[in-house]
Amino acid sequence: MSETINVLISEEQIDQKIRELGERISRDYMGKSITLVGILKGASFFMCELAKRISVPVYVDFMSVSSYGNATKSSGVVRINKDLDDSIEGRDVIIVEDIIDSGRTLSYLTEMLAGRGASSIRVATLLDKPERRVVDFKPDYSGFTIPDTFVVGYGMDYGQRYRNLPYIGVVTLD
Ligand code: IMP
Ligand code: MG
């Protein structure tokens, strides 16, 4: 069995969108600094490109999480595999994610990080699959809304492969 990857969003479209997001964020946070919190591993590619397009001071930190317990439970507890290195108390935080699917990860993380005394918490995601939502969650900054389909590339994987594709593609098994 082999896999074919069909391009859904090109490298040029992604670059252009990240520039736009960076400009919007820079305007929204004028006179402030931002702590970007990337969710490993998938969001790291998007986060680096986004950080370069933001013109206010930026701090970067990362977390690694995985789904925990009963996946059908809508509470959606996630396990922290790697926590932040630095305190976010008093910081304006933007959580950076590759894709929002059920919404469980981010609804849990935004509440958890809010409990640590951040001044503000917003979410930026490269992709959003709103049709798949189990928990009500809306990102503050979103690159592309896509249908209910499994995508790879630009940090996203299928069995840990394809993260390094410079575009976003759909996997077809044939
Ligand atoms: P959720 O919103 O809590 O369901 O989880 C979102 C996470 O699921 C993302 O950070 C990805 O790691 C993973 N994910 C969801 N959809 C896709 C996809 O189409 N391709 C690759 N990873 C995905
Ligand atoms: Mg992820």
Side-chain angles (χ1 to χ4, degrees):
M1 195 159 75
S2 69
E3 297 145 21
T4 314
I5 312 290
N6 293 302
V7 179
L8 181 67
I9 306 171
S10 72
E11 189 174 1
E12 291 71 26
Q13 286 174 291
I14 300 168
D15 283 350
Q16 180 55 35
K17 187 63 79 177
I18 294 177
R19 272 174 205 275
E20 289 167 19
L21 288 175
E23 283 167 16
R24 266 182 58 203
I25 290 171
S26 303
R27 277 198 302 275
D28 292 352
Y29 288 81
M30 192 99 72
K32 297 181 177 174
S33 60
I34 303 171
T35 299
L36 294 179
V37 170
I39 309 304
L40 294 169
K41 304 169 185 163
S44 57
F45 293 65
F46 171 45
M47 176 145 138
C48 293
E49 296 306 310
L50 182 63
K52 289 192 285 182
R53 303 298 170 205
I54 295 174
S55 55
V56 301
V58 162
Y59 299 84
V60 298
D61 211 337
F62 290 95
M63 283 185 108
S64 172
V65 303
S66 53
S67 303
Y68 187 69
N70 184 356
T72 60
K73 248 212 241 157
S74 59
S75 63
V77 177
V78 303
R79 177 171 48 198
I80 311 293
N81 300 320
K82 182 223 170 288
D83 208 333
L84 298 174
D85 288 334
D86 302 314
S87 165
I88 53 165
E89 202 176 336
R91 295 297 178 91
D92 291 301
V93 172
I94 301 180
I95 304 175
V96 181
E97 181 57 302
D98 48 6
I99 184 163
I100 306 178
D101 191 43
S102 70
R104 284 194 187 98
T105 308
L106 282 174
S107 64
Y108 180 84
L109 281 183
T110 44
E111 269 189 39
M112 195 201 77
L113 295 185
R116 295 188 186 179
S119 294
S120 67
I121 297 188
R122 286 185 181 171
V123 167
T125 187
L126 181 58
L127 300 178
D128 191 5
K129 288 200 271 197
E131 285 170 39
R132 296 260 309 165
R133 219 54 115 246
V134 172
V135 178
D136 187 31
F137 188 86
K138 281 200 183 61
D140 302 281
Y141 303 99
S142 173
F144 303 91
T145 297
I146 61 165
D148 178 7
T149 171
F150 195 82
V151 293
V152 295
Y154 222 87
M156 287 169 288
D157 72 304
Y158 175 67
Q160 297 302 327
R161 289 171 62 211
Y162 305 118
R163 291 192 196 273
N164 59 315
L165 295 178
Y167 53 86
I168 289 161
V170 176
V171 189
T172 314
L173 302 175
D174 42 23

